[in-house]
Amino acid sequence: MTSILKLDALKNAEVVTTPYPFFVVENALADSEVQAVIKDFPKIEQGGSFNIEDVEIKPNFDRFLKSLDTPEFRQILTDKFDVNVMEHPMMITLRGYSRQKDGRIHSDSKSKLLTILIYLNESWDAPNGRLRILNDDKDINNYVAEIGAGPGSLVAFKVTDNGWHGYIPYEGQRQSIQINFLTSEKANAKHKFFHGLSAKVKKIFG
């Protein structure tokens, strides 16, 4: 299946190595597809991450999801970050709503090799809610890059011990897809179990 991602743009993106390896593509989805994908983004009105199995997937978004796991995409990331993810499991989770407690400074778990975030909002004019690539785990204002959450903005980074990132709290709709390449199938099953359990609890307690 043809990727909806602009693979050439990803190939040509410059990898910044400080404070840890990352790259940004501001318009990463095909111009002819991005609005249809955003329109079909699952309706998520609660905070937290959701497995794709736990939400309703509409046709255009389904096409997008199915176009992601390609050898071409994996090869680009392998080349960019010098981490071979050709055979590693891919996990996809979705976020649709940001709470005041979200965005706190953190680094991703060691079971993740690479993280790719794609923002799927019509636009992003708010000063808050913009992901920051941080120099340390103390100061949200000590950053080297800030990525808006507009239509098709993509940031990819290698998961490292100092891979600090976060954003100034924002309350409201903030749609994104997170792609992770994981160390093992065991790690994949563990992450999916906890995301699924969280989704069930949210359904029960609202």
Side-chain angles (χ1 to χ4, degrees), residues 3 13 40 49 63-64 76 80 84 89 99 104 106 108 124 157 160-161 167 193 202:
S3 180
D40 274 7
S49 297
R63 286 194 305 109
F64 176 51
I76 289 169
K80 289 284 186 189
N84 190 339
R99 303 159 293 188
R104 289 177 290 192
H106 69 284
D108 287 359
W124 199 263
F157 56 87
T160 63
D161 289 340
Y167 60 87
F193 171 77
K202 287 167 187 167

Side-chain angles (χ1 to χ4, degrees), residues 87-147:
E87 303 297 332
H88 283 274
M90 173 193 276
M91 177 179 71
I92 295 176
T93 52
L94 305 174
R95 283 179 174 263
Y97 190 87
S98 178
R99 303 159 293 188
Q100 280 296 317
K101 69 177 184 177
D102 293 329
R104 289 177 290 192
I105 297 173
H106 69 284
S107 60
D108 287 359
S109 69
K110 293 183 178 180
S111 59
K112 298 175 181 178
L113 297 167
L114 302 177
T115 294
I116 302 93
L117 293 163
I118 306 172
Y119 295 99
L120 294 167
N121 302 286
E122 291 282 353
S123 61
W124 199 263
D125 299 323
N128 296 356
R130 298 169 180 263
L131 187 75
R132 292 178 174 181
I133 303 295
L134 301 169
N135 285 309
D136 60 46
D137 62 343
K138 306 283 193 305
D139 186 359
I140 194 69
N141 292 312
N142 184 11
Y143 62 94
V144 300
E146 185 178 63
I147 299 95

